Amino acid sequence: MSQSQVIRISAQEYVHIKDMNELITTLMVGPQLLVLKDHEKIVVGPAKMIKISPRTYCIIRNPAVRDPNGEVVMTPFGEPKVKFGEQEIRTFENWPEQFPLQVNEVLELENQPYRTVAPETALRIECIRPFEDQRHGDNGLFRFPGDEWLIYGPTTYIPIIEERVNAVEKCIIIRQNQALQVRAKKDFVDRNQVKRYAGETWLIKKAGAYFLDVCEEQVNILKAYVLTDKKAIHIRAKANYTDVYGKERKNGEEWLITNKMNETHILDVHEEFVQVQDLVVMNQRQYCVILNPVKDGKNQWGTKEIRNEVFFLQPGEIIDGGIKNTYILTDNQNLLVRANHDFKDNNGKDIKAGESFLVKGPCTYIPPIQVAILQERPNIQLSHNEGIYVQK
């Protein structure tokens, strides 16, 4: 027998020997000295056994079928049963000892390190074949092809054949006085156990890191409006809803948000910003006429109101003619006025529409909305021997 037919296999090596008569391949593991017959030949090896290092894994193509005890299942012809076209991931935890490749097994990747998921990042995982995910509780969680979910960092990710990594997602940082507006891409139940529908939008106001769910997409980052004693915001409802202050709003309704309600305000998804409303400031000697004044939260359309105070102009209200100065009458000054409507003056006297009367100084006079100023009339000074003629 020739020297080439003698094969020495060390303790950490293996070979695959093929019987050319029966076309059966056999695994032989060292240490041993093999003497090949004329109808036998080596098809693999001598090759070193595979040793998986800690915190690494390898991928085997066409893995052998094993029984519950981990033993290879053999065919009636003496070859191991294999799952052709399949892959198997082997980790150090499951395969701490070195091992040979069974017949038809192929090593695709060796000693690949586990993937580290950094803080404030997550892996977007997609299921590519149905399986029971035992990483989520004792009862497991059934996954189906097309399902997606996130694995949050910091953690170590050990891959499995039934899933693949589609992307690395970064968290969105929501700062104080900010909100994240998100939209549902399909019907689902969010992490707060709220049923969401495709196309629905809502706000995430909690400050900190936020990961978008696989069924969510970012719409915008909203900043809060800062409300002061001198600034408010005028907003309009885009749909029927209940606002954050517990008040029901109707579609198209308009109102003001002031610092008496909150120091800051973030627009809800059902709210539309109209404008910043400045405080109307008047001193004690000024006044204005307000058209369509708001009473009990509703505009009194077509009516007027006198104001001589500091206030915010409500939606729908109009300052008629701007801010006016109060009439300050001295001893020698008077105002001729005419009533446009019936009313009672400050003394309780009934004044009829069309009636003219004189407001005599000295006094401070703010004309009621029912009164029109005709002219100013000074007193006429007469000596003891003078007089005037008056014509009606």
Side-chain angles (χ1 to χ4, degrees):
M1 186 174 291
S2 64
Q3 182 68 24
S4 60
Q5 294 177 311
V6 178
I7 303 297
R8 186 182 301 276
I9 308 174
S10 68
Q12 298 179 349
E13 293 181 331
Y14 69 95
V15 295
H16 291 173
I17 298 177
K18 187 173 184 179
D19 187 323
M20 302 305 294
N21 290 337
E22 298 183 356
L23 299 178
I24 295 175
T25 304
T26 305
L27 169 67
M28 304 298 291
V29 179
Q32 60 177 302
L33 184 65
L34 297 177
V35 179
L36 298 182
K37 300 177 181 178
D38 293 339
H39 61 276
E40 294 177 336
K41 73 173 184 178
I42 296 177
V43 291
V44 174
K48 290 185 178 181
M49 291 192 183
I50 298 171
K51 176 65 176 177
I52 303 177
S53 302
R55 296 186 61 79
T56 65
Y57 67 95
C58 68
I59 297 180
I60 306 297
R61 179 160 52 88
N62 306 330
V65 177
R66 297 178 182 271
D67 62 21
N69 296 324
E71 299 295 329
V72 176
V73 177
M74 306 300 291
T75 68
F77 305 101
E79 288 189 341
K81 287 185 177 181
V82 296
K83 295 179 283 187
F84 285 102
E86 296 288 337
Q87 290 180 320
E88 180 179 285
I89 293 179
R90 298 178 183 177
T91 64
F92 172 79
E93 288 75 16
N94 297 329
W95 297 78
E97 302 294 334
Q98 61 184 6
F99 60 90
L101 289 178
Q102 297 294 326
V103 176
N104 292 316
E105 287 185 339
V106 178
L107 178 65
E108 288 195 342
L109 288 175
E110 183 179 9
N111 285 336
Q112 297 297 305
Y114 295 159
R115 189 164 188 166
T116 300
V117 186
E120 300 182 354
T121 62
L123 298 181
R124 181 184 287 263
I125 307 297
E126 181 183 1
C127 177
I128 56 178
R129 63 178 70 180
F131 74 105
E132 185 179 2
D133 192 347
Q134 297 291 344
R135 298 169 296 185
H136 299 270
D138 297 334
N139 296 328
L141 180 64
F142 287 96
R143 306 286 192 183
F144 299 94
D147 288 352
E148 286 187 310
W149 63 96
L150 297 178
I151 294 180
Y152 303 97
T155 189
T156 298
Y157 173 70
I158 302 175
I160 59 176
I161 293 301
E162 292 82 5
E163 64 188 29
R164 67 184 174 201
V165 178
N166 280 346
V168 177
E169 303 288 350
K170 292 185 177 181
C171 69
I172 299 172
I173 303 299
I174 305 174
R175 307 187 185 280
Q176 291 292 337
N177 293 328
Q178 286 186 341
L180 172 65
Q181 184 178 0
V182 297
R183 180 189 296 118
K185 296 191 288 186
K186 62 180 181 179
D187 295 354
F188 79 109
V189 178
D190 69 13
R191 64 196 66 182
N192 297 319
Q193 303 305 308
V194 178
K195 177 67 176 179
R196 302 295 184 180
Y197 298 93
E200 179 183 355
T201 59
W202 65 97
L203 297 182
I204 307 297
K205 296 182 178 180
K206 185 178 180 180
Y210 183 83
F211 284 97
L212 289 173
D213 189 271
V214 293
C215 298
E216 298 172 347
E217 62 181 351
Q218 178 180 344
V219 178
N220 200 3
I221 294 287
L222 303 179
K223 293 183 178 180
Y225 290 92
V226 179
L227 308 172
T228 67
D229 292 338
K230 295 183 178 180
K231 288 189 179 294
I233 57 171
H234 176 183
I235 60 179
R236 180 187 298 119
K238 298 189 292 185
N240 296 341
Y241 79 108
T242 301
D243 66 15
V244 294
Y245 309 108
K247 186 173 180 59
E248 292 186 0
R249 301 295 183 180
K250 302 297 182 181
N251 186 16
E253 181 180 351
E254 299 182 19
W255 67 99
L256 291 186
I257 303 293
T258 67
N259 68 338
K260 293 182 179 179
M261 302 169 67
N262 204 348
E263 293 180 352
T264 60
H265 182 78
I266 299 175
L267 289 180
D268 189 89
V269 294
H270 301 301
E271 295 173 353
E272 177 184 3
F273 172 77
V274 179
Q275 64 181 358
V276 173
Q277 191 68 55
D278 293 323
L279 187 70
V280 178
V281 180
M282 294 181 291
N283 59 39
Q284 294 180 347
R285 295 185 176 182
Q286 291 178 321
Y287 73 97
C288 64
V289 178
I290 301 297
L291 301 180
N292 311 321
V294 172
K295 298 291 185 182
D296 299 325
K298 295 183 179 180
N299 290 95
Q300 307 300 308
W301 300 103
T303 64
K304 296 181 180 181
E305 179 181 89
I306 298 292
R307 291 182 190 170
N308 61 339
E309 59 186 0
V310 176
F311 66 97
F312 283 109
L313 202 63
Q314 297 292 324
E317 292 183 340
I318 301 173
I319 298 179
D320 185 18
I323 296 176
K324 303 174 183 179
N325 292 323
T326 302
Y327 289 91
I328 302 175
L329 305 178
T330 64
D331 292 343
N332 194 39
Q333 291 178 312
N334 307 279
L335 286 178
L336 179 62
V337 300
R338 182 178 62 232
N340 295 325
H341 303 279
D342 296 347
F343 76 102
K344 287 186 178 182
D345 64 11
N346 295 333
N347 299 319
K349 181 181 178 181
D350 289 325
I351 306 295
K352 301 299 183 180
E355 181 179 345
S356 297
F357 58 95
L358 203 63
V359 179
K360 298 180 180 181
C363 68
T364 299
Y365 183 69
I366 297 177
I369 58 174
Q370 299 89 348
V371 166
I373 304 295
L374 297 180
Q375 63 178 166
E376 294 186 18
R377 286 188 175 180
N379 289 340
I380 301 174
Q381 302 294 330
L382 299 175
S383 64
H384 66 280
N385 59 352
E386 291 180 323
I388 61 172
Y389 289 100
V390 177
Q391 181 179 1
K392 283 185 106 177

